[in-house]
Amino acid sequence: MSQFPKVILFLVFSTQWLAAEVDFAHQIVPVLKEKCAKCHMEDNKKGGFSMNTRAAILEGSENGRVVTPGDGAGSYLYEAVTTDDPDLLMPPKGERLTAAEAELLKQWIDEKLPWQAGFTFGEESYEPPLKHRPVDIPKIEGPEIYNDIDRLVADYFKSHQNEFPPLVSDEVFIRRVYLDLIGLLPDTEKLESFLADNSPDKRARLIESLLADGVNYTAHWLTFWNDLLRNAYRGTGFIDGGRKPITDWLIPTLKENIPYDDMVRQLVSPTTDSEGFINGIKWRGDVNASQTREVQFSQNIGQAFLGINMKCASCHDSFVDRWKLDEAYNLAAIIATEPIEIHRCDKATGKFATAAWIFPELGNIDAGADKKVRLQQLSELLVHPDNGRTTRTMANRIWHRLLGRGIVHPVDAMDTEPWSEPLLDHLANYFKEQGYDLKALMAYIANSRIYQSRSMVIEDESFLNDGYTFAGPVARRMAAEQYVDAIEQIGGVITGSSRAVPVHIPRAEIKSVESKIRWLELFDLKKATPADKKAGYRIRAQFDVSPKDLTEPQIFAQVNTGLSDQVKINGKPVSDLKTGKIIDIKTYLKPGQNDLEILFPAKSRAYYIWNAFVKSGDDFLLHSGAIGHWEWARGVGGEPEWKKPRFLNSSGHPAARQISRINPGPAKIRDEILRKKYPNLHIARASLRDNDLLQRALGRPNREQIVSMRENRLTMLQAMDLSNGESFSKLLNRSAENLINTLSKHPDEVITSVYEKSLSRAPSDLEREISRDIIGQKMSRESLQDFLWNIVMLPEFQIVQ
């Protein structure tokens, strides 16, 4: 980026350095139980001070406040556990806190007392119902009531002396619903059409049309499911086969809107394409007993489908809820192929787990059956018609995604009392009645008055429901993938199509392109005879073409080669291919196996790049250039003796694998085909690409663990990346360059276009004036990049309002 403008209209988020967060369950609970329980827990309330709940701690004692959230050093509790004054020291008798324990307590207060939702040091705790429960819908009517969700919310508001927030404007609504349902910004044409429409049902029709956009719905919600099912494209475990992606299963499943109960069945009693979820990661070397594949299975089943924490219970009986070590291991035994010894805190107990389900009221697992049968039984128990835990968990996740905060919050603490039990039960019942249709649930929520209401900003969102009163939707930051997509949308780099997918997703809805550069050493030139040098050599390979592909109008290919004389497909010369041109090769192909042959003169080295594409309708599909086996032979005539080649890297040393990967293809292909000849094909959405430095900084996880809620706060790393990060600069540069090439040179056209695309509104007079100053009289790529930077740093841009 060029030097930032001297005058910046826009507000940049204030940030603070975030240290590693304290672990409440494992670092705070044991200390408080050991050192504070006798005087301040359960029925004990010495000095009027109870520590049973976070709310009780915040209430303080009969002498006033005991802790000040955010100020550990200034809190009386910290002073009491560190003082040398015997009249103030706590605990007054017995072993005092160590210096390390006191510092943890201080950090915990500094972080505003994060607390496990639903946890109490007292005897009573909330136990959610297992089965579905009928809900009596209040008979409430009025302008705020769009559906039964609103009736339940209105009833809640009445009991909490609250009322519906105002409706959002059409400009805010269209931007919100686009980002929520398909993860994109509305384009200018759609925005203008929606604003001009005076039909009373236009919002409902927009919701319906967005959910019908299977391609973009899939690309957006892939982020949610990849996080929840710990599905990644590369990373830990992939090199040695200790981890398997489920992308080939997940993409068509989302696009076809497979019912959620069937999704669960296919994940838990899996197909070959979906088995990566339950298999987890095989870590290299020795691992803690709580990280074996079987125990990972227990943790992932509990968290993903039931919203319960089996991680604590897979090491010891949980400190924060009712789940026990034996229950976690018995769940793990369902997938085991040999007996599992129970380990407590990584030490063997001598006891062995028995395959069992954690809610026997619904049925159980036949521990004597083989693994396949046990997994089938578990999958049916998870989606049992009476299992309200599974439906409530998913209904709560979707509510959280669309309104910013769960009815139970955090969403993986489903043993916590919801702020509205009737609403959560109603959404779970609706989800089940609609045949576990995820899109139907989303549409139901999005069509409610409460979803379409003005959002609020929660400055200090506690981990706990204590003291939380629902008042409406919560403003949310864009996810990393949304942010990247939005910037590329503004610049016209992507315009909404997800048709192209990168090389790491084979056999997806759009097949991938495989681009490889390999050097071939066929014989030693120094030892070659004159006849060898004159004869030259050839290479050949086989690739498959499906009959379905041959029904398409055109099939294109490109072979870039070094020193090649000729290329043949099924024995027919295709001489234009050797130049690297992209040509239609359909007439050369046949169903099934096809032969590709490249002839070379007598040289010691050569290289090739192979790409193939299929054009289908208005879309240009990137088709796998799957070449399974190459062979070579001396001479260009007669019946050759085919041999396996040696592959070298660019330095001339043996290479067992490709030395270069181009994603999604060579720049020449991207420029010539993707941008010009086929404008309906655009680069892949960010969710379909590998994680990169910018997306990681913006919160995209590596997915070695389940992530059901991403951090909603801006970190110092993100602030630095958005100020001067190289990846971010390149992203802005790409969009700025595309704007220069596609829009007129008049600054006002650029300003209006960018504001409408990014914020779904026109610029004010002041914004237009300042934007002109930033762009300058002679618009350049650098000045346009500065202008874009100012726009995308706006809270109004980064926040889903």
Side-chain angles (χ1 to χ4, degrees), residues 656-678:
R657 55 184 300 186
Q658 65 196 56
I659 62 167
S660 178
R661 173 175 284 170
I662 305 168
N663 184 10
K668 181 176 180 180
I669 297 175
R670 186 170 61 248
D671 293 341
E672 181 178 341
I673 296 295
L674 307 190
R675 300 283 180 82
K676 297 177 183 177
K677 291 182 74 175
Y678 298 97

mmCIF file with all atom_site columns, all heavy atoms in Angstrom, residues 656-678:
data_model
loop_
_atom_site.group_PDB
_atom_site.id
_atom_site.type_symbol
_atom_site.label_atom_id
_atom_site.label_alt_id
_atom_site.label_comp_id
_atom_site.label_asym_id
_atom_site.label_entity_id
_atom_site.label_seq_id
_atom_site.pdbx_PDB_ins_code
_atom_site.Cartn_x
_atom_site.Cartn_y
_atom_site.Cartn_z
_atom_site.occupancy
_atom_site.B_iso_or_equiv
_atom_site.pdbx_formal_charge
_atom_site.auth_seq_id
_atom_site.auth_comp_id
_atom_site.auth_asym_id
_atom_site.auth_atom_id
_atom_site.pdbx_PDB_model_num
ATOM 1   N N   . ALA A 1 656 ? 10.586  -36.741 -5.883  1.00 0.00 ? 656 ALA A N   1
ATOM 2   C CA  . ALA A 1 656 ? 9.545   -37.761 -5.880  1.00 0.00 ? 656 ALA A CA  1
ATOM 3   C C   . ALA A 1 656 ? 8.158   -37.174 -6.068  1.00 0.00 ? 656 ALA A C   1
ATOM 4   O O   . ALA A 1 656 ? 7.198   -37.883 -6.237  1.00 0.00 ? 656 ALA A O   1
ATOM 5   C CB  . ALA A 1 656 ? 9.594   -38.544 -4.578  1.00 0.00 ? 656 ALA A CB  1
ATOM 6   N N   . ARG A 1 657 ? 8.036   -35.853 -6.011  1.00 0.00 ? 657 ARG A N   1
ATOM 7   C CA  . ARG A 1 657 ? 6.724   -35.238 -6.105  1.00 0.00 ? 657 ARG A CA  1
ATOM 8   C C   . ARG A 1 657 ? 6.829   -33.936 -6.887  1.00 0.00 ? 657 ARG A C   1
ATOM 9   O O   . ARG A 1 657 ? 7.912   -33.512 -7.255  1.00 0.00 ? 657 ARG A O   1
ATOM 10  C CB  . ARG A 1 657 ? 6.151   -34.970 -4.718  1.00 0.00 ? 657 ARG A CB  1
ATOM 11  C CG  . ARG A 1 657 ? 7.045   -34.140 -3.833  1.00 0.00 ? 657 ARG A CG  1
ATOM 12  C CD  . ARG A 1 657 ? 6.487   -33.980 -2.451  1.00 0.00 ? 657 ARG A CD  1
ATOM 13  N NE  . ARG A 1 657 ? 5.188   -33.330 -2.489  1.00 0.00 ? 657 ARG A NE  1
ATOM 14  C CZ  . ARG A 1 657 ? 4.525   -32.955 -1.415  1.00 0.00 ? 657 ARG A CZ  1
ATOM 15  N NH1 . ARG A 1 657 ? 5.028   -33.195 -0.223  1.00 0.00 ? 657 ARG A NH1 1
ATOM 16  N NH2 . ARG A 1 657 ? 3.355   -32.362 -1.510  1.00 0.00 ? 657 ARG A NH2 1
ATOM 17  N N   . GLN A 1 658 ? 5.699   -33.335 -7.158  1.00 0.00 ? 658 GLN A N   1
ATOM 18  C CA  . GLN A 1 658 ? 5.693   -32.109 -7.934  1.00 0.00 ? 658 GLN A CA  1
ATOM 19  C C   . GLN A 1 658 ? 6.507   -31.033 -7.225  1.00 0.00 ? 658 GLN A C   1
ATOM 20  O O   . GLN A 1 658 ? 6.576   -30.983 -6.004  1.00 0.00 ? 658 GLN A O   1
ATOM 21  C CB  . GLN A 1 658 ? 4.276   -31.628 -8.146  1.00 0.00 ? 658 GLN A CB  1
ATOM 22  C CG  . GLN A 1 658 ? 3.586   -31.238 -6.856  1.00 0.00 ? 658 GLN A CG  1
ATOM 23  C CD  . GLN A 1 658 ? 2.092   -31.140 -7.044  1.00 0.00 ? 658 GLN A CD  1
ATOM 24  O OE1 . GLN A 1 658 ? 1.464   -32.077 -7.465  1.00 0.00 ? 658 GLN A OE1 1
ATOM 25  N NE2 . GLN A 1 658 ? 1.537   -30.000 -6.727  1.00 0.00 ? 658 GLN A NE2 1
ATOM 26  N N   . ILE A 1 659 ? 7.099   -30.153 -8.001  1.00 0.00 ? 659 ILE A N   1
ATOM 27  C CA  . ILE A 1 659 ? 7.903   -29.079 -7.412  1.00 0.00 ? 659 ILE A CA  1
ATOM 28  C C   . ILE A 1 659 ? 7.174   -27.752 -7.465  1.00 0.00 ? 659 ILE A C   1
ATOM 29  O O   . ILE A 1 659 ? 7.658   -26.763 -6.941  1.00 0.00 ? 659 ILE A O   1
ATOM 30  C CB  . ILE A 1 659 ? 9.257   -28.955 -8.120  1.00 0.00 ? 659 ILE A CB  1
ATOM 31  C CG1 . ILE A 1 659 ? 9.064   -28.590 -9.602  1.00 0.00 ? 659 ILE A CG1 1
ATOM 32  C CG2 . ILE A 1 659 ? 10.067  -30.215 -7.980  1.00 0.00 ? 659 ILE A CG2 1
ATOM 33  C CD1 . ILE A 1 659 ? 10.310  -28.146 -10.293 1.00 0.00 ? 659 ILE A CD1 1
ATOM 34  N N   . SER A 1 660 ? 6.028   -27.693 -8.098  1.00 0.00 ? 660 SER A N   1
ATOM 35  C CA  . SER A 1 660 ? 5.296   -26.437 -8.159  1.00 0.00 ? 660 SER A CA  1
ATOM 36  C C   . SER A 1 660 ? 3.816   -26.727 -8.251  1.00 0.00 ? 660 SER A C   1
ATOM 37  O O   . SER A 1 660 ? 3.400   -27.615 -8.984  1.00 0.00 ? 660 SER A O   1
ATOM 38  C CB  . SER A 1 660 ? 5.744   -25.619 -9.365  1.00 0.00 ? 660 SER A CB  1
ATOM 39  O OG  . SER A 1 660 ? 5.006   -24.422 -9.446  1.00 0.00 ? 660 SER A OG  1
ATOM 40  N N   . ARG A 1 661 ? 3.035   -26.005 -7.517  1.00 0.00 ? 661 ARG A N   1
ATOM 41  C CA  . ARG A 1 661 ? 1.578   -26.117 -7.607  1.00 0.00 ? 661 ARG A CA  1
ATOM 42  C C   . ARG A 1 661 ? 1.005   -24.743 -7.901  1.00 0.00 ? 661 ARG A C   1
ATOM 43  O O   . ARG A 1 661 ? 1.333   -23.778 -7.237  1.00 0.00 ? 661 ARG A O   1
ATOM 44  C CB  . ARG A 1 661 ? 0.991   -26.641 -6.300  1.00 0.00 ? 661 ARG A CB  1
ATOM 45  C CG  . ARG A 1 661 ? -0.521  -26.605 -6.295  1.00 0.00 ? 661 ARG A CG  1
ATOM 46  C CD  . ARG A 1 661 ? -1.070  -27.235 -5.046  1.00 0.00 ? 661 ARG A CD  1
ATOM 47  N NE  . ARG A 1 661 ? -0.979  -28.676 -5.117  1.00 0.00 ? 661 ARG A NE  1
ATOM 48  C CZ  . ARG A 1 661 ? -1.218  -29.466 -4.091  1.00 0.00 ? 661 ARG A CZ  1
ATOM 49  N NH1 . ARG A 1 661 ? -1.552  -28.959 -2.937  1.00 0.00 ? 661 ARG A NH1 1
ATOM 50  N NH2 . ARG A 1 661 ? -1.122  -30.769 -4.218  1.00 0.00 ? 661 ARG A NH2 1
ATOM 51  N N   . ILE A 1 662 ? 0.210   -24.667 -8.929  1.00 0.00 ? 662 ILE A N   1
ATOM 52  C CA  . ILE A 1 662 ? -0.391  -23.401 -9.319  1.00 0.00 ? 662 ILE A CA  1
ATOM 53  C C   . ILE A 1 662 ? -1.870  -23.488 -9.016  1.00 0.00 ? 662 ILE A C   1
ATOM 54  O O   . ILE A 1 662 ? -2.547  -24.403 -9.465  1.00 0.00 ? 662 ILE A O   1
ATOM 55  C CB  . ILE A 1 662 ? -0.154  -23.126 -10.817 1.00 0.00 ? 662 ILE A CB  1
ATOM 56  C CG1 . ILE A 1 662 ? 1.353   -23.203 -11.116 1.00 0.00 ? 662 ILE A CG1 1
ATOM 57  C CG2 . ILE A 1 662 ? -0.704  -21.774 -11.212 1.00 0.00 ? 662 ILE A CG2 1
ATOM 58  C CD1 . ILE A 1 662 ? 1.663   -23.237 -12.572 1.00 0.00 ? 662 ILE A CD1 1
ATOM 59  N N   . ASN A 1 663 ? -2.395  -22.533 -8.280  1.00 0.00 ? 663 ASN A N   1
ATOM 60  C CA  . ASN A 1 663 ? -3.750  -22.684 -7.736  1.00 0.00 ? 663 ASN A CA  1
ATOM 61  C C   . ASN A 1 663 ? -4.544  -21.401 -7.976  1.00 0.00 ? 663 ASN A C   1
ATOM 62  O O   . ASN A 1 663 ? -4.181  -20.359 -7.481  1.00 0.00 ? 663 ASN A O   1
ATOM 63  C CB  . ASN A 1 663 ? -3.616  -22.949 -6.228  1.00 0.00 ? 663 ASN A CB  1
ATOM 64  C CG  . ASN A 1 663 ? -4.943  -23.218 -5.598  1.00 0.00 ? 663 ASN A CG  1
ATOM 65  O OD1 . ASN A 1 663 ? -5.956  -23.388 -6.260  1.00 0.00 ? 663 ASN A OD1 1
ATOM 66  N ND2 . ASN A 1 663 ? -4.934  -23.257 -4.271  1.00 0.00 ? 663 ASN A ND2 1
ATOM 67  N N   . PRO A 1 664 ? -5.630  -21.448 -8.790  1.00 0.00 ? 664 PRO A N   1
ATOM 68  C CA  . PRO A 1 664 ? -6.229  -22.640 -9.363  1.00 0.00 ? 664 PRO A CA  1
ATOM 69  C C   . PRO A 1 664 ? -5.710  -22.969 -10.753 1.00 0.00 ? 664 PRO A C   1
ATOM 70  O O   . PRO A 1 664 ? -6.242  -23.836 -11.415 1.00 0.00 ? 664 PRO A O   1
ATOM 71  C CB  . PRO A 1 664 ? -7.708  -22.265 -9.428  1.00 0.00 ? 664 PRO A CB  1
ATOM 72  C CG  . PRO A 1 664 ? -7.679  -20.805 -9.690  1.00 0.00 ? 664 PRO A CG  1
ATOM 73  C CD  . PRO A 1 664 ? -6.485  -20.283 -8.966  1.00 0.00 ? 664 PRO A CD  1
ATOM 74  N N   . GLY A 1 665 ? -4.697  -22.287 -11.246 1.00 0.00 ? 665 GLY A N   1
ATOM 75  C CA  . GLY A 1 665 ? -4.139  -22.593 -12.551 1.00 0.00 ? 665 GLY A CA  1
ATOM 76  C C   . GLY A 1 665 ? -3.156  -21.510 -12.936 1.00 0.00 ? 665 GLY A C   1
ATOM 77  O O   . GLY A 1 665 ? -3.021  -20.494 -12.254 1.00 0.00 ? 665 GLY A O   1
ATOM 78  N N   . PRO A 1 666 ? -2.415  -21.700 -14.020 1.00 0.00 ? 666 PRO A N   1
ATOM 79  C CA  . PRO A 1 666 ? -1.446  -20.689 -14.447 1.00 0.00 ? 666 PRO A CA  1
ATOM 80  C C   . PRO A 1 666 ? -2.119  -19.345 -14.681 1.00 0.00 ? 666 PRO A C   1
ATOM 81  O O   . PRO A 1 666 ? -3.281  -19.266 -15.049 1.00 0.00 ? 666 PRO A O   1
ATOM 82  C CB  . PRO A 1 666 ? -0.898  -21.274 -15.755 1.00 0.00 ? 666 PRO A CB  1
ATOM 83  C CG  . PRO A 1 666 ? -1.150  -22.743 -15.653 1.00 0.00 ? 666 PRO A CG  1
ATOM 84  C CD  . PRO A 1 666 ? -2.409  -22.893 -14.871 1.00 0.00 ? 666 PRO A CD  1
ATOM 85  N N   . ALA A 1 667 ? -1.364  -18.276 -14.465 1.00 0.00 ? 667 ALA A N   1
ATOM 86  C CA  . ALA A 1 667 ? -1.930  -16.933 -14.610 1.00 0.00 ? 667 ALA A CA  1
ATOM 87  C C   . ALA A 1 667 ? -2.485  -16.718 -16.008 1.00 0.00 ? 667 ALA A C   1
ATOM 88  O O   . ALA A 1 667 ? -3.485  -16.034 -16.197 1.00 0.00 ? 667 ALA A O   1
ATOM 89  C CB  . ALA A 1 667 ? -0.853  -15.891 -14.307 1.00 0.00 ? 667 ALA A CB  1
ATOM 90  N N   . LYS A 1 668 ? -1.833  -17.330 -16.999 1.00 0.00 ? 668 LYS A N   1
ATOM 91  C CA  . LYS A 1 668 ? -2.307  -17.170 -18.374 1.00 0.00 ? 668 LYS A CA  1
ATOM 92  C C   . LYS A 1 668 ? -3.725  -17.701 -18.525 1.00 0.00 ? 668 LYS A C   1
ATOM 93  O O   . LYS A 1 668 ? -4.573  -17.093 -19.175 1.00 0.00 ? 668 LYS A O   1
ATOM 94  C CB  . LYS A 1 668 ? -1.367  -17.900 -19.329 1.00 0.00 ? 668 LYS A CB  1
ATOM 95  C CG  . LYS A 1 668 ? -1.775  -17.767 -20.794 1.00 0.00 ? 668 LYS A CG  1
ATOM 96  C CD  . LYS A 1 668 ? -0.755  -18.429 -21.693 1.00 0.00 ? 668 LYS A CD  1
ATOM 97  C CE  . LYS A 1 668 ? -1.163  -18.289 -23.157 1.00 0.00 ? 668 LYS A CE  1
ATOM 98  N NZ  . LYS A 1 668 ? -0.197  -18.920 -24.063 1.00 0.00 ? 668 LYS A NZ  1
ATOM 99  N N   . ILE A 1 669 ? -4.002  -18.853 -17.899 1.00 0.00 ? 669 ILE A N   1
ATOM 100 C CA  . ILE A 1 669 ? -5.350  -19.427 -17.963 1.00 0.00 ? 669 ILE A CA  1
ATOM 101 C C   . ILE A 1 669 ? -6.330  -18.523 -17.237 1.00 0.00 ? 669 ILE A C   1
ATOM 102 O O   . ILE A 1 669 ? -7.409  -18.212 -17.743 1.00 0.00 ? 669 ILE A O   1
ATOM 103 C CB  . ILE A 1 669 ? -5.363  -20.825 -17.328 1.00 0.00 ? 669 ILE A CB  1
ATOM 104 C CG1 . ILE A 1 669 ? -4.461  -21.767 -18.121 1.00 0.00 ? 669 ILE A CG1 1
ATOM 105 C CG2 . ILE A 1 669 ? -6.785  -21.368 -17.253 1.00 0.00 ? 669 ILE A CG2 1
ATOM 106 C CD1 . ILE A 1 669 ? -4.341  -23.119 -17.497 1.00 0.00 ? 669 ILE A CD1 1
ATOM 107 N N   . ARG A 1 670 ? -5.938  -18.071 -16.055 1.00 0.00 ? 670 ARG A N   1
ATOM 108 C CA  . ARG A 1 670 ? -6.845  -17.252 -15.257 1.00 0.00 ? 670 ARG A CA  1
ATOM 109 C C   . ARG A 1 670 ? -7.206  -15.963 -15.997 1.00 0.00 ? 670 ARG A C   1
ATOM 110 O O   . ARG A 1 670 ? -8.357  -15.557 -16.043 1.00 0.00 ? 670 ARG A O   1
ATOM 111 C CB  . ARG A 1 670 ? -6.193  -16.942 -13.912 1.00 0.00 ? 670 ARG A CB  1
ATOM 112 C CG  . ARG A 1 670 ? -7.129  -16.217 -12.956 1.00 0.00 ? 670 ARG A CG  1
ATOM 113 C CD  . ARG A 1 670 ? -6.550  -16.143 -11.570 1.00 0.00 ? 670 ARG A CD  1
ATOM 114 N NE  . ARG A 1 670 ? -5.297  -15.426 -11.517 1.00 0.00 ? 670 ARG A NE  1
ATOM 115 C CZ  . ARG A 1 670 ? -4.123  -15.987 -11.249 1.00 0.00 ? 670 ARG A CZ  1
ATOM 116 N NH1 . ARG A 1 670 ? -4.046  -17.284 -11.001 1.00 0.00 ? 670 ARG A NH1 1
ATOM 117 N NH2 . ARG A 1 670 ? -3.012  -15.277 -11.216 1.00 0.00 ? 670 ARG A NH2 1
ATOM 118 N N   . ASP A 1 671 ? -6.199  -15.331 -16.615 1.00 0.00 ? 671 ASP A N   1
ATOM 119 C CA  . ASP A 1 671 ? -6.454  -14.075 -17.304 1.00 0.00 ? 671 ASP A CA  1
ATOM 120 C C   . ASP A 1 671 ? -7.237  -14.275 -18.593 1.00 0.00 ? 671 ASP A C   1
ATOM 121 O O   . ASP A 1 671 ? -8.189  -13.560 -18.886 1.00 0.00 ? 671 ASP A O   1
ATOM 122 C CB  . ASP A 1 671 ? -5.126  -13.368 -17.617 1.00 0.00 ? 671 ASP A CB  1
ATOM 123 C CG  . ASP A 1 671 ? -4.431  -12.907 -16.353 1.00 0.00 ? 671 ASP A CG  1
ATOM 124 O OD1 . ASP A 1 671 ? -5.121  -12.802 -15.321 1.00 0.00 ? 671 ASP A OD1 1
ATOM 125 O OD2 . ASP A 1 671 ? -3.223  -12.672 -16.396 1.00 0.00 ? 671 ASP A OD2 1
ATOM 126 N N   . GLU A 1 672 ? -6.805  -15.262 -19.375 1.00 0.00 ? 672 GLU A N   1
ATOM 127 C CA  . GLU A 1 672 ? -7.403  -15.438 -20.694 1.00 0.00 ? 672 GLU A CA  1
ATOM 128 C C   . GLU A 1 672 ? -8.800  -16.029 -20.632 1.00 0.00 ? 672 GLU A C   1
ATOM 129 O O   . GLU A 1 672 ? -9.701  -15.621 -21.350 1.00 0.00 ? 672 GLU A O   1
ATOM 130 C CB  . GLU A 1 672 ? -6.504  -16.341 -21.560 1.00 0.00 ? 672 GLU A CB  1
ATOM 131 C CG  . GLU A 1 672 ? -7.053  -16.550 -22.974 1.00 0.00 ? 672 GLU A CG  1
ATOM 132 C CD  . GLU A 1 672 ? -6.125  -17.413 -23.813 1.00 0.00 ? 672 GLU A CD  1
ATOM 133 O OE1 . GLU A 1 672 ? -4.937  -17.542 -23.440 1.00 0.00 ? 672 GLU A OE1 1
ATOM 134 O OE2 . GLU A 1 672 ? -6.598  -17.949 -24.822 1.00 0.00 ? 672 GLU A OE2 1
ATOM 135 N N   . ILE A 1 673 ? -8.971  -16.989 -19.744 1.00 0.00 ? 673 ILE A N   1
ATOM 136 C CA  . ILE A 1 673 ? -10.241 -17.705 -19.698 1.00 0.00 ? 673 ILE A CA  1
ATOM 137 C C   . ILE A 1 673 ? -11.159 -17.168 -18.613 1.00 0.00 ? 673 ILE A C   1
ATOM 138 O O   . ILE A 1 673 ? -12.276 -16.739 -18.876 1.00 0.00 ? 673 ILE A O   1
ATOM 139 C CB  . ILE A 1 673 ? -10.004 -19.214 -19.463 1.00 0.00 ? 673 ILE A CB  1
ATOM 140 C CG1 . ILE A 1 673 ? -9.235  -19.800 -20.646 1.00 0.00 ? 673 ILE A CG1 1
ATOM 141 C CG2 . ILE A 1 673 ? -11.314 -19.946 -19.271 1.00 0.00 ? 673 ILE A CG2 1
ATOM 142 C CD1 . ILE A 1 673 ? -9.999  -19.776 -21.939 1.00 0.00 ? 673 ILE A CD1 1
ATOM 143 N N   . LEU A 1 674 ? -10.684 -17.167 -17.386 1.00 0.00 ? 674 LEU A N   1
ATOM 144 C CA  . LEU A 1 674 ? -11.568 -16.856 -16.280 1.00 0.00 ? 674 LEU A CA  1
ATOM 145 C C   . LEU A 1 674 ? -12.052 -15.416 -16.306 1.00 0.00 ? 674 LEU A C   1
ATOM 146 O O   . LEU A 1 674 ? -13.175 -15.133 -15.901 1.00 0.00 ? 674 LEU A O   1
ATOM 147 C CB  . LEU A 1 674 ? -10.866 -17.134 -14.942 1.00 0.00 ? 674 LEU A CB  1
ATOM 148 C CG  . LEU A 1 674 ? -10.265 -18.526 -14.784 1.00 0.00 ? 674 LEU A CG  1
ATOM 149 C CD1 . LEU A 1 674 ? -9.821  -18.740 -13.360 1.00 0.00 ? 674 LEU A CD1 1
ATOM 150 C CD2 . LEU A 1 674 ? -11.262 -19.591 -15.176 1.00 0.00 ? 674 LEU A CD2 1
ATOM 151 N N   . ARG A 1 675 ? -11.213 -14.493 -16.735 1.00 0.00 ? 675 ARG A N   1
ATOM 152 C CA  . ARG A 1 675 ? -11.579 -13.079 -16.670 1.00 0.00 ? 675 ARG A CA  1
ATOM 153 C C   . ARG A 1 675 ? -12.248 -12.575 -17.951 1.00 0.00 ? 675 ARG A C   1
ATOM 154 O O   . ARG A 1 675 ? -13.067 -11.685 -17.916 1.00 0.00 ? 675 ARG A O   1
ATOM 155 C CB  . ARG A 1 675 ? -10.335 -12.235 -16.413 1.00 0.00 ? 675 ARG A CB  1
ATOM 156 C CG  . ARG A 1 675 ? -9.626  -12.564 -15.116 1.00 0.00 ? 675 ARG A CG  1
ATOM 157 C CD  . ARG A 1 675 ? -10.355 -11.963 -13.917 1.00 0.00 ? 675 ARG A CD  1
ATOM 158 N NE  . ARG A 1 675 ? -9.669  -12.278 -12.685 1.00 0.00 ? 675 ARG A NE  1
ATOM 159 C CZ  . ARG A 1 675 ? -8.610  -11.604 -12.229 1.00 0.00 ? 675 ARG A CZ  1
ATOM 160 N NH1 . ARG A 1 675 ? -8.129  -10.609 -12.914 1.00 0.00 ? 675 ARG A NH1 1
ATOM 161 N NH2 . ARG A 1 675 ? -8.056  -11.948 -11.090 1.00 0.00 ? 675 ARG A NH2 1
ATOM 162 N N   . LYS A 1 676 ? -11.856 -13.117 -19.114 1.00 0.00 ? 676 LYS A N   1
ATOM 163 C CA  . LYS A 1 676 ? -12.303 -12.530 -20.374 1.00 0.00 ? 676 LYS A CA  1
ATOM 164 C C   . LYS A 1 676 ? -13.298 -13.417 -21.118 1.00 0.00 ? 676 LYS A C   1
ATOM 165 O O   . LYS A 1 676 ? -14.437 -13.026 -21.347 1.00 0.00 ? 676 LYS A O   1
ATOM 166 C CB  . LYS A 1 676 ? -11.084 -12.233 -21.251 1.00 0.00 ? 676 LYS A CB  1
ATOM 167 C CG  . LYS A 1 676 ? -10.148 -11.198 -20.625 1.00 0.00 ? 676 LYS A CG  1
ATOM 168 C CD  . LYS A 1 676 ? -8.921  -10.964 -21.475 1.00 0.00 ? 676 LYS A CD  1
ATOM 169 C CE  . LYS A 1 676 ? -7.962  -9.972  -20.803 1.00 0.00 ? 676 LYS A CE  1
ATOM 170 N NZ  . LYS A 1 676 ? -6.725  -9.776  -21.579 1.00 0.00 ? 676 LYS A NZ  1
ATOM 171 N N   . LYS A 1 677 ? -12.881 -14.631 -21.477 1.00 0.00 ? 677 LYS A N   1
ATOM 172 C CA  . LYS A 1 677 ? -13.757 -15.456 -22.303 1.00 0.00 ? 677 LYS A CA  1
ATOM 173 C C   . LYS A 1 677 ? -14.981 -15.933 -21.550 1.00 0.00 ? 677 LYS A C   1
ATOM 174 O O   . LYS A 1 677 ? -16.051 -16.088 -22.111 1.00 0.00 ? 677 LYS A O   1
ATOM 175 C CB  . LYS A 1 677 ? -12.976 -16.671 -22.848 1.00 0.00 ? 677 LYS A CB  1
ATOM 176 C CG  . LYS A 1 677 ? -11.914 -16.300 -23.871 1.00 0.00 ? 677 LYS A CG  1
ATOM 177 C CD  . LYS A 1 677 ? -11.209 -17.522 -24.415 1.00 0.00 ? 677 LYS A CD  1
ATOM 178 C CE  . LYS A 1 677 ? -12.112 -18.277 -25.382 1.00 0.00 ? 677 LYS A CE  1
ATOM 179 N NZ  . LYS A 1 677 ? -11.400 -19.394 -26.020 1.00 0.00 ? 677 LYS A NZ  1
ATOM 180 N N   . TYR A 1 678 ? -14.822 -16.171 -20.228 1.00 0.00 ? 678 TYR A N   1
ATOM 181 C CA  . TYR A 1 678 ? -15.931 -16.736 -19.455 1.00 0.00 ? 678 TYR A CA  1
ATOM 182 C C   . TYR A 1 678 ? -16.157 -15.908 -18.201 1.00 0.00 ? 678 TYR A C   1
ATOM 183 O O   . TYR A 1 678 ? -15.748 -16.276 -17.101 1.00 0.00 ? 678 TYR A O   1
ATOM 184 C CB  . TYR A 1 678 ? -15.645 -18.203 -19.123 1.00 0.00 ? 678 TYR A CB  1
ATOM 185 C CG  . TYR A 1 678 ? -15.519 -19.028 -20.366 1.00 0.00 ? 678 TYR A CG  1
ATOM 186 C CD1 . TYR A 1 678 ? -14.268 -19.313 -20.886 1.00 0.00 ? 678 TYR A CD1 1
ATOM 187 C CD2 . TYR A 1 678 ? -16.646 -19.459 -21.051 1.00 0.00 ? 678 TYR A CD2 1
ATOM 188 C CE1 . TYR A 1 678 ? -14.142 -20.037 -22.052 1.00 0.00 ? 678 TYR A CE1 1
ATOM 189 C CE2 . TYR A 1 678 ? -16.535 -20.186 -22.218 1.00 0.00 ? 678 TYR A CE2 1
ATOM 190 C CZ  . TYR A 1 678 ? -15.275 -20.471 -22.715 1.00 0.00 ? 678 TYR A CZ  1
ATOM 191 O OH  . TYR A 1 678 ? -15.169 -21.181 -23.865 1.00 0.00 ? 678 TYR A OH  1
#
